[in-house]
Amino acid sequence: MSSNASITIFWDRRAEVRSSPPPLGSLYIDAAGMGDGTHLAMMFGSEMPLPEQVAIADRVLAGVQRWRDGIVESADRQRTAEVELAEARAELARLKGESDEGANQ
């Protein structure tokens, strides 16, 4: 059984994920919090062997981990840039202060 669909949902701070075990192993993702909007339900068909379910779950987990790692990397770069900017502003203020002191002497 196969189906093709594409849906775009924007994440909300209340996003939730739930799951249920076999025999109908399912993964529910609600980007706006359960019961508060459109959600994605992914389920295994009852004919799918458990080893194949595990392999698929491992691929999903690896993809989500890569996605998360990319977000963390971007946040670290942004944080580093903000720190460097604050340090540069402090250094400029220090130099301006020294320059102003020299001009007043």
Side-chain angles (χ1 to χ4, degrees), residues 2-80:
S2 173
S3 61
N4 294 318
S6 178
I7 183 169
T8 301
I9 304 170
F10 290 93
W11 292 102
D12 184 272
R13 287 180 172 86
R14 299 170 296 158
E16 294 181 25
V17 177
R18 291 183 296 143
S19 61
S20 64
L24 292 175
S26 56
L27 180 66
Y28 301 95
I29 301 172
D30 191 326
M34 291 297 171
D36 192 26
T38 304
H39 68 275
L40 174 65
M42 301 294 296
M43 303 179 92
F44 291 113
S46 59
E47 73 287 347
M48 175 139 337
L50 288 174
E52 289 183 35
Q53 291 183 30
V54 171
I56 291 168
D58 286 344
R59 285 196 308 271
V60 170
L61 181 60
V64 170
Q65 186 64 53
R66 284 190 303 273
W67 173 65
R68 182 200 176 278
D69 290 349
I71 293 169
V72 169
E73 184 180 313
S74 293
D76 288 346
R77 276 195 312 270
Q78 180 178 350
R79 198 170 20 258
T80 298

